[in-house]
Amino acid sequence: MGHPFQFSGYRFKQGWTLQLMQGVSLGFLIQLIPLVLMWIFGWYHVEGWLWNYKPFYSLFPALLFSFIFASETAILEESLFRGFMMNTLSDRYNVKVGLAASSILFGLLHFSGTSSEFPWWLSLVSATIAGFVFGQAYLLYGNIWVPLGIHFGVHFAARTLGTVGLTPDEA
């Protein structure tokens, strides 16, 4: 007959908003720390901040889009991969199978094809590791809020901090 909404990992216990915000902060740091390290070692050059090139009112639609994109991506993917798939496979087999299978399938979903700048195998490996991290956070906290927050934070930071190699106009 199906499982209750809690089966998907959405448990609204006291402190769920704090866990969500902890995840968002962690996800933002996951994106920010490598950028800072690359900047320190001279592998990444910051030409300037986007608001130095364009007025804020013209940036608001992009910020809104970034927020909506990060929200819907995090909610849909975490609901599917951690909330449904990992739970279902863990119940049917065991937690290790649920974690491994959902992480691998998450990696396959994020396969980006071939590119001269980013090898295909690296997109598979990095997304599979991300799926494993999200799954571990889900298991550690016993709900979906922290991995959902991490997932949101990673996407929102990537969209707002920029992507390595883009000019200010492309960003």
Side-chain angles (χ1 to χ4, degrees), residues 26 132-144 146-148 150:
L26 185 57
F132 182 79
V133 169
F134 298 152
Q136 286 294 324
Y138 181 89
L139 293 172
L140 180 65
Y141 285 89
N143 64 54
I144 206 162
V146 172
L148 193 144
I150 295 170

Side-chain angles (χ1 to χ4, degrees), residues 76-146:
L76 289 173
E77 290 182 0
E78 291 309 307
S79 296
L80 175 65
F81 287 99
R82 260 54 68 191
F84 176 72
M85 187 180 299
M86 194 169 100
N87 273 333
T88 301
L89 294 173
S90 294
D91 285 351
R92 184 165 190 163
Y93 301 104
N94 62 50
V95 173
K96 289 179 182 178
V97 170
L99 178 61
S102 64
S103 298
I104 291 168
L105 289 171
F106 184 79
L108 289 171
L109 173 78
H110 290 83
F111 174 66
S112 63
T114 57
S115 160
S116 60
E117 290 126 26
F118 201 74
W120 65 268
W121 59 269
L122 193 53
S123 72
L124 287 174
V125 171
S126 63
T128 301
I129 291 170
F132 182 79
V133 169
F134 298 152
Q136 286 294 324
Y138 181 89
L139 293 172
L140 180 65
Y141 285 89
N143 64 54
I144 206 162
W145 299 114
V146 172

Side-chain angles (χ1 to χ4, degrees), residues 1 11 17-18 31 59 73 76 104 131 138:
M1 198 164 302
R11 292 175 184 86
T17 53
L18 179 62
Q31 285 294 93
L59 299 176
T73 302
L76 289 173
I104 291 168
Y138 181 89

